[in-house]
Amino acid sequence: MAESAGAPTSPLIGPEDLGEGIILDVRWRLAGPPGIESYREGHIPGAVFCDLDQDLAAPPGAGGRHPLPGAEAFQAAMRRLGVSDSVPVVVYDDADSTAAARAWWVLRYYGHPDVRVLDGGYRRWAAEGFPVTTDVPTPAPGDFTARPGGMPILDATGAGALAEEGVLLDARAGERYRGEVEAVDPVAGHIPGAVSAPTGENVDPSSGRFHPAEFLRERFLSLGAVPEVPVGAYCGSGVTAAHEVLALELAGIHAALYVGSWSNWIIDSSRPVAKG
């Protein structure tokens, strides 16, 4: 993985292409157990654990369950993990890149020019016979400088408008979109006008690897993400929606992220809710 002054050709990378750079282990599950436990049981040599809740989000509140971290806090977290502006970064999770995509997106939002996601994650790495370790490295402090604005974002007003004037993709499972099941947030349903586009359909369920770009392009075109139409994505708290933005990027479609997502939308009871 050569150092680069510009963004890499693809946001994905395979195990065979890992080289010099910083590797962040971003394993995380909404319902637990904590990702640090998986990290301690085994990880890619040299990888440093990145806590999604602590390092990639601000504390829960009016901004939602996983608000965008402030520039100063994010910069401090990344420097502690060894991230520098001029050194490539690879991020990975268990397999399907849901958590890794959040790291990719926040790093890109704050201006890091070379961030890639290990397609297939730790499961692929181990399955293909690459070495694993329980040794915990101590990275030298990085010099990363957080510069906001590297990726487009939406607030609640912008998300509501985009659902009517463009395409707003709801990355949650279909039953949550329809309001049939809601085990996480206190209100069920979706933003009126949003289109259901579960992130699970972006990857091969057997491997966790992303579908080919052409497959993803056809998928999003069928959902209305056609040329010249603005596109955005949201989910429950802005994590799986980052995965949707990454899949759209692979398809050649640039999309904005509603970071606060559904958990922010429902804080204001005057905002409309749709079901079905």
Side-chain angles (χ1 to χ4, degrees):
M1 184 175 64
E3 294 186 12
S4 170
T9 301
S10 170
L12 300 182
I13 194 170
E16 67 282 355
D17 294 322
L18 261 66
E20 296 300 319
I22 292 295
I23 305 172
L24 300 182
D25 183 313
V26 200
R27 282 180 281 182
W28 172 87
R29 295 184 184 89
L30 180 61
I36 187 64
E37 296 180 9
S38 297
Y39 174 81
R40 289 169 177 156
E41 291 171 0
H43 52 266
I44 294 174
V48 181
F49 182 70
C50 177
D51 189 306
L52 187 149
D53 292 315
Q54 300 298 319
D55 300 328
L56 303 176
R65 285 186 281 109
H66 289 106
L68 184 67
E72 185 176 343
F74 182 68
Q75 176 176 290
M78 292 302 103
R79 289 185 176 188
R80 173 175 50 81
L81 298 178
V83 175
S84 291
D85 292 308
S86 61
V87 179
V89 179
V90 170
V91 295
Y92 72 89
D93 56 28
D94 277 318
D96 67 5
S97 300
T98 297
R102 170 74 177 211
W104 167 83
W105 188 90
V106 181
L107 278 161
R108 296 288 292 134
Y109 174 80
Y110 276 119
H112 198 290
D114 193 346
V115 188
R116 302 206 212 184
V117 174
L118 177 60
D119 193 21
Y122 183 75
R123 185 191 306 166
R124 178 186 177 189
W125 175 272
E128 294 187 9
F130 289 91
V132 300
T133 185
T134 56
D135 294 338
V136 177
T138 302
D143 64 9
F144 174 70
T145 300
R147 305 175 183 88
M151 299 287 277
I153 61 174
L154 296 166
D155 60 11
T157 300
L162 186 61
E164 299 298 329
E165 301 165 4
V167 175
L168 181 65
L169 301 176
D170 186 316
R172 299 173 299 166
E175 58 268 25
R176 289 185 69 195
Y177 167 85
R178 294 188 296 270
E180 299 166 355
V181 174
E182 186 48 76
V184 184
D185 292 304
V187 178
H190 61 267
I191 297 173
V195 179
S196 180
T199 52
E201 296 178 20
N202 293 329
V203 298
D204 180 334
S206 64
S207 67
R209 295 180 63 180
F210 280 93
H211 288 300
E214 187 57 37
F215 177 99
L216 294 170
R217 189 174 301 113
E218 290 300 319
R219 180 191 185 213
F220 292 124
L221 286 173
S222 72
L223 295 172
V226 297
E228 310 305 323
V229 172
V231 179
Y234 79 100
C235 57
S237 67
V239 175
T240 55
H243 187 280
E244 195 94 296
V245 171
L246 175 55
L248 285 155
E249 195 80 10
L250 294 171
I253 302 167
H254 299 299
L257 175 66
Y258 177 16
V259 185
S261 284
W262 186 246
S263 59
N264 167 252
W265 180 268
I266 59 174
I267 284 175
D268 185 344
S269 61
S270 70
R271 293 181 188 135
V273 170
K275 293 187 178 181

